[in-house]
């Protein structure tokens, strides 16, 4: 079935570039373009596209307002178009709370040799978005809870001021996610208790640049310390490391100040299954080091990244949790884990934190 796409962007150049890219995919057809949010809403009502590619910053009617209307009045999968920059990245991350399915990097200013990879990713994410379960993308933002969120933040800061970190690691939670992952991770990591006896390692398929903003956002919502991984970061309990976009994150053993430590190693080695960072790369690296201390989680996402790595973790005595279809935005990555009979537990997102605490306590 041909996927009918609508592009909403205030830049004529971007509309042309994206139209050219998507037109190269035989499964995709551009049914229209719009120059701002107001124009986009009129064309969505008239054309009823299968997927909307939506600029995050526009005049007249911005991306978030447009997205909020789409989610409420005409539910349609939306992929955000975002440039780099703190403001653009923050708006895009907020868009995930509003119900956006995924994000693509704005293609302007990209050197021609990078365009084939970027074009493949744009087409892949556009196709994947149409498979999203929109009922699992209900808006997470509840403005009535803003005061509660402030109180929660105060409690987080008080806890952190008393907290001591240690490089002794009793358990490792390794998490892989793709389409729908930012929303899922925010919910999951925010549910972990402050004193969880584990180091947390995350691979989220996301463009380079966005993982830094995403890490800061998660850090503000949990008592755990969350940061974008850097080369040589020591693996510690109570710390969440997120693989940077466009870099694989593997865990290696090194001698640091005379002591043997596990640290993060980042690389730009070839993509695996079209992705860098790769969930498989992370899972494979930790399997021989941590063995039975590992709980690997495979969350919502397209395709099968994580299944091969989960198999290695399982062989070394670790446990595997796959997200249940009932809470997935896209039931692809967890489905492959279940299909291979690798999952020790198949759980909806809201049951995971409780079960994890039982497993590692």
């Amino acid at each position: 079935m041909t996927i009918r796409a609508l592009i909403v962007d205030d830049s004529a150049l971007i509309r042309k570039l994206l139209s050219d890219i998507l037109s190269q995919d035989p499964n995709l057809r551009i049914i229209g373009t719009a120059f701002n949010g107001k124009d986009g809403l009129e064309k969505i009502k008239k054309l009823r596209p299968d997927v909307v590619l939506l600029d995050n910053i526009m005049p007249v009617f911005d991306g978030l307002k447009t997205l909020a209307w789409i989610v409420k009045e005409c539910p349609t999968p939306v992929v955000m178009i975002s440039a780099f920059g703190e403001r653009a990245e923050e708006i895009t991350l907020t868009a995930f709370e509003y119900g956006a399915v995924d994000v693509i990097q704005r293609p302007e200013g990209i050197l021609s040799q990078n365009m084939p990879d970027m074009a493949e990713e744009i087409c892949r994410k556009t196709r994947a978005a149409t498979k999203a379960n929109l009922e699992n993308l209900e808006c997470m933002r509840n403005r009535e809870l803003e005061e509660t969120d402030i109180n929660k933040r105060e409690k987080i800061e008080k806890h952190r001021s008393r907290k001591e970190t240690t490089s002794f690691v009793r358990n490792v939670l390794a998490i892989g996610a793709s389409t729908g992952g930012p929303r899922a991770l925010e919910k999951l990591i925010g549910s972990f208790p402050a004193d969880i006896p584990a180091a947390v390692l995350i691979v989220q398929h996301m463009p380079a640049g966005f993982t830094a903003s995403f890490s800061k956002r998660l850090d503000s919502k949990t008592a755990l310390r969350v940061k974008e991984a850097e080369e040589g970061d020591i693996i510690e309990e109570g710390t969440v490391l997120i693989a940077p976009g466009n870099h694989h994150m593997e865990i290696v053993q090194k001698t640091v100040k005379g002591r043997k430590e596990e640290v993060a190693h980042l690389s730009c080695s070839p993509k695996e299954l079209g992705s860098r960072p790769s969930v498989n790369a992370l899972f494979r690296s930790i399997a021989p080091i941590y063995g039975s201390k590992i709980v690997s989680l495979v969350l919502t996402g397209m395709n099968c990244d994580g299944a091969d790595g989960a198999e290695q973790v399982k062989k070394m005595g670790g446990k595997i949790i796959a997200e249940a279809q009932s809470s997935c935005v896209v039931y692809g990555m967890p489905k492959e884990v279940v299909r291979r009979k690798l999952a020790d537990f198949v759980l909806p997102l809201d049951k995971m934190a409780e079960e994890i605490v039982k497993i590692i306590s």
Side-chain angles (χ1 to χ4, degrees), residues 162 175 189 208 212 217 219 239 248-249 252 259 290 303:
R162 300 193 302 265
I175 307 172
I189 302 302
R217 194 180 188 88
D219 187 62
T239 295
H248 294 305
M249 178 172 72
V252 298
R259 290 183 55 186
Y290 293 111
N303 297 327

Side-chain angles (χ1 to χ4, degrees), residues 219-251:
D219 187 62
S220 71
K221 295 176 181 290
T222 174
L224 305 178
R225 175 175 174 250
V226 183
K227 71 183 295 287
E228 184 183 52
E230 298 176 80
E231 180 69 26
D233 275 343
I234 295 174
I235 310 307
E236 300 175 320
E237 287 190 3
T239 295
V240 181
L241 294 182
I242 298 180
N246 204 35
H247 287 79
H248 294 305
M249 178 172 72
E250 299 170 299
I251 308 306

Side-chain angles (χ1 to χ4, degrees), residues 138-154:
E138 75 276 4
C139 182
M140 290 174 62
R141 179 173 289 265
N142 185 340
R143 298 192 181 278
E144 292 178 0
L145 295 179
E146 284 185 356
E147 185 176 346
T148 304
D149 288 341
I150 293 170
N151 293 337
K152 180 180 179 181
R153 184 64 195 164
E154 289 175 352

Side-chain angles (χ1 to χ4, degrees), residues 39-317:
D39 184 36
L41 296 181
E42 291 172 358
K43 287 179 177 171
I44 289 167
K45 285 186 280 189
K46 180 180 177 181
L47 300 174
R48 298 287 172 168
D50 299 314
V51 60
V52 175
L53 281 72
L54 178 64
D55 187 11
N56 57 355
I57 302 175
M58 295 180 293
V60 183
F61 215 66
D62 67 26
L64 289 180
K65 287 181 181 177
T66 306
L67 175 61
W69 183 93
I70 294 170
V71 169
K72 183 178 179 181
E73 302 294 338
C74 190
T76 307
V78 174
V79 177
M80 302 302 295
I81 307 165
S82 180
F84 288 134
E86 190 172 341
R87 179 169 175 253
E89 292 161 11
E90 186 61 29
I91 290 171
T92 297
L93 292 172
T94 301
F96 286 123
E97 295 182 4
Y98 275 60
V101 175
D102 214 331
V103 57
I104 58 171
Q105 181 183 336
R106 199 175 175 91
E108 62 185 335
I110 301 300
L111 295 175
S112 58
Q113 58 263 36
N114 294 332
M115 281 302 289
D117 279 351
M118 173 165 277
E120 190 280 330
E121 180 175 334
I122 289 170
C123 291
R124 174 167 49 84
K125 288 190 172 186
T126 302
R127 293 192 307 268
T130 64
K131 299 182 184 299
N133 181 340
L134 298 183
E135 291 183 4
N136 286 338
L137 275 171
E138 75 276 4
C139 182
M140 290 174 62
R141 179 173 289 265
N142 185 340
R143 298 192 181 278
E144 292 178 0
L145 295 179
E146 284 185 356
E147 185 176 346
T148 304
D149 288 341
I150 293 170
N151 293 337
K152 180 180 179 181
R153 184 64 195 164
E154 289 175 352
K155 290 178 183 178
I156 287 171
E157 293 301 338
K158 285 179 182 177
H159 177 83
R160 284 186 176 174
S161 66
R162 300 193 302 265
K163 190 173 174 181
E164 295 182 6
T165 60
T166 172
S167 58
F168 173 72
V169 175
R170 287 168 285 181
N171 300 282
V172 172
L173 304 181
I175 307 172
S178 187
T179 313
R183 167 194 167 280
L185 288 167
E186 189 168 320
K187 200 168 182 180
L188 178 63
I189 302 302
S191 300
F192 287 158
D195 57 353
I196 191 167
V200 184
L201 307 170
I202 295 174
V203 167
Q204 164 65 50
H205 295 163
M206 189 175 272
F210 289 88
T211 41
S213 296
F214 183 50
S215 300
K216 290 176 185 175
R217 194 180 188 88
L218 275 186
D219 187 62
S220 71
K221 295 176 181 290
T222 174
L224 305 178
R225 175 175 174 250
V226 183
K227 71 183 295 287
E228 184 183 52
E230 298 176 80
E231 180 69 26
D233 275 343
I234 295 174
I235 310 307
E236 300 175 320
E237 287 190 3
T239 295
V240 181
L241 294 182
I242 298 180
N246 204 35
H247 287 79
H248 294 305
M249 178 172 72
E250 299 170 299
I251 308 306
V252 298
Q253 291 180 316
K254 286 181 71 173
T255 300
V256 180
K257 296 180 181 179
R259 290 183 55 186
K260 192 175 181 181
E261 303 273 18
E262 286 79 43
V263 302
H265 170 61
L266 308 179
S267 79
C268 287
S269 53
K271 292 182 179 182
E272 293 194 28
L273 299 172
S275 297
R276 186 171 58 222
S278 160
V279 182
N280 282 330
L282 172 64
F283 286 5
R284 281 198 310 266
S285 72
I286 62 174
I289 297 175
Y290 293 111
S292 61
K293 294 180 179 181
I294 302 169
V295 178
S296 284
L297 290 78
V298 180
L299 306 183
T300 176
M302 193 69 179
N303 297 327
C304 60
D305 190 18
D308 289 345
E311 191 167 346
Q312 296 302 310
V313 169
K314 186 108 171 169
K315 284 179 181 176
M316 300 304 292

Side-chain angles (χ1 to χ4, degrees), residues 317-347:
K319 288 189 168 51
I320 311 297
I321 298 177
E323 184 175 358
Q325 184 174 5
S326 61
S327 65
C328 279
V329 173
V330 175
Y331 188 54
M333 286 164 48
K335 181 180 180 180
E336 182 63 13
V337 170
V338 172
R339 187 188 72 80
R340 295 195 197 181
K341 296 182 169 55
L342 298 171
D344 297 286
F345 304 90
V346 179
L347 299 168

